[in-house]
Amino acid sequence: MKIGIVGLGLIGGSLGLDLRSQGHQIIGISRQDVTCQTALKQGIADRASTKFTLLQDVEIVIVCTPIAAIASTVKQIIPHLHPDTIITDVGSVKYPIVETCSQLWSNFIGGHPMAGTAQSGIDAAQANLFEGAAYVFTPTEKTKFEDLERLKAIALDLNAIPYICDAQIHDRAVSWISHLPVMVSASLIKACLQETPETLELAQNLASSGFRDTSRVGGGNPELGVMMAKYNRAELLRSLAQYRDNLDQVINLIEGEKWQDLEQVLDINGEARPKFLN
Ligand code: NAP
């Protein structure tokens, strides 16, 4: 298949590497010429340019720009596309993007490959990034069955697992497992920094795997964190409020020295956690 990838960063570049290795012809489009040159050198794209005209006969376009630029990018590429072209995106938030873009192009299907790293930019692109990860698609009532099947086939080419769901439910679910953890983890690091210098230095020297695991997502790309909060605001506020309630309950149990009740809470969580990590 001839596939256009617009926005050759971590996600766009990684998609290009894997889809090209599966025999697809990749047309890469990015904002900066230097990024296009790197894409060609690293085998991410067969052809690469800053000009949307290269997209004229692609069958699928995957928009991989930052969330804030997805709708405006879709608007800009539309005049260059064949009417049957499928447009999808990779944004970590789906409802506001799908609402806008499906009005602009009836063959727009929201997408979200659930894999990434803390790095950004084309130099962070890596092969097999999506292997074993979920790849969510959020069709609308206008979506054609065969278009969705073609996107599912792309996910399978990446060795990812395609999931189909409603855009709003996607945003609620990722708020719990992706956006809330970023805010909680960032708050953990920030709270530690409020310690006295002596204690802070000791804590930094003693920190090991537990702190590494719990602080990892809070120390990532700040731009991405702000985008999550801005574009998934309502769902994130809802999950943060429920998280705060649970934190208050734990504080109450500890203040009241209700050790058995606390053990019960921790026990339930120990059993529940593996279900999130299969
Ligand atoms: P990234 O590494 O920063 O790459 C984005 C690329 O888009 C940049 O290389 C840049 O190309 C181009 N770009 C930047 N600003 C632009 C603008 N205003 N207009 C047009 N193009 C622009 O970001 P990423 O991590 O790949 O994220 C891209 C998308 O994937 C986001 O929508 C994000 O929500 C989604 N996503 C990210 C992850 C993750 O873990 N990072 C996971 C799943 C989905 P130039 O180099 O040419 O300037």
Side-chain angles (χ1 to χ4, degrees), residues 146-197:
E146 59 273 22
D147 288 354
L148 187 58
E149 288 303 303
R150 291 181 92 184
L151 291 186
K152 280 161 75 179
I154 297 245
L156 292 173
D157 278 345
L158 297 164
N159 290 319
I161 304 153
Y163 274 87
I164 310 301
C165 73
D166 172 83
Q168 267 177 314
I169 296 177
H170 164 276
D171 290 356
R172 179 161 291 185
V174 296
S175 168
W176 282 113
I177 53 96
S178 176
H179 304 169
L180 173 74
V182 167
M183 302 306 154
V184 170
S185 172
S187 304
L188 165 69
I189 301 170
K190 184 170 174 290
C192 290
L193 294 178
Q194 287 164 351
E195 252 307 338
T196 57

Side-chain angles (χ1 to χ4, degrees), residues 21-198:
S21 76
Q22 289 291 317
H24 295 288
Q25 191 188 350
I26 302 301
I27 306 299
I29 307 287
S30 217
R31 215 174 27 167
Q32 301 182 71
D33 196 45
V34 61
T35 306
C36 297
Q37 295 312 318
T38 307
L40 291 171
K41 255 187 257 147
Q42 293 183 1
I44 285 168
D46 296 277
R47 296 177 70 194
S49 169
T50 55
K51 307 251 175 352
F52 295 129
T53 46
L54 270 196
L55 294 172
Q56 58 184 358
D57 54 356
V58 299
E59 294 155 78
I60 295 176
V61 181
I62 311 176
V63 179
C64 302
T65 62
I67 295 175
I70 291 175
S72 61
T73 302
V74 168
K75 258 187 216 157
Q76 284 174 282
I77 63 175
I78 281 175
H80 305 279
L81 301 181
H82 185 278
D84 291 336
T85 308
I86 302 165
I87 308 181
T88 185
D89 74 309
V90 296
S92 318
V93 175
K94 294 277 51 88
Y95 184 67
I97 293 172
V98 173
E99 270 270 284
T100 312
C101 295
S102 59
Q103 308 273 347
L104 298 169
W105 192 251
S106 62
N107 305 344
F108 180 89
I109 303 174
H112 181 197
M114 307 280 309
T117 71
Q119 273 92 49
S120 60
I122 194 158
D123 291 325
Q126 54 178 267
N128 305 319
L129 180 65
F130 309 101
E131 196 168 343
Y135 197 140
V136 182
F137 296 107
T138 61
T140 66
E141 67 279 5
K142 286 190 264 176
T143 301
K144 290 186 218 119
F145 174 79
E146 59 273 22
D147 288 354
L148 187 58
E149 288 303 303
R150 291 181 92 184
L151 291 186
K152 280 161 75 179
I154 297 245
L156 292 173
D157 278 345
L158 297 164
N159 290 319
I161 304 153
Y163 274 87
I164 310 301
C165 73
D166 172 83
Q168 267 177 314
I169 296 177
H170 164 276
D171 290 356
R172 179 161 291 185
V174 296
S175 168
W176 282 113
I177 53 96
S178 176
H179 304 169
L180 173 74
V182 167
M183 302 306 154
V184 170
S185 172
S187 304
L188 165 69
I189 301 170
K190 184 170 174 290
C192 290
L193 294 178
Q194 287 164 351
E195 252 307 338
T196 57
E198 195 188 354

Side-chain angles (χ1 to χ4, degrees), residues 226-268:
V226 173
M227 285 301 128
M228 291 169 177
K230 192 170 166 188
Y231 288 90
N232 203 17
R233 182 173 171 273
E235 294 302 340
L236 180 57
L237 285 174
R238 179 180 174 274
S239 53
L240 277 167
Q242 285 191 40
Y243 177 77
R244 186 168 51 194
D245 281 352
N246 277 273
L247 201 56
D248 282 342
Q249 283 168 29
V250 167
I251 291 170
N252 287 340
L253 293 179
I254 296 171
E255 277 178 349
E257 300 189 20
K258 295 188 173 152
W259 308 126
Q260 241 177 346
D261 293 348
L262 181 63
E263 191 177 333
Q264 235 172 7
V265 170
L266 300 177
D267 198 37
I268 292 166

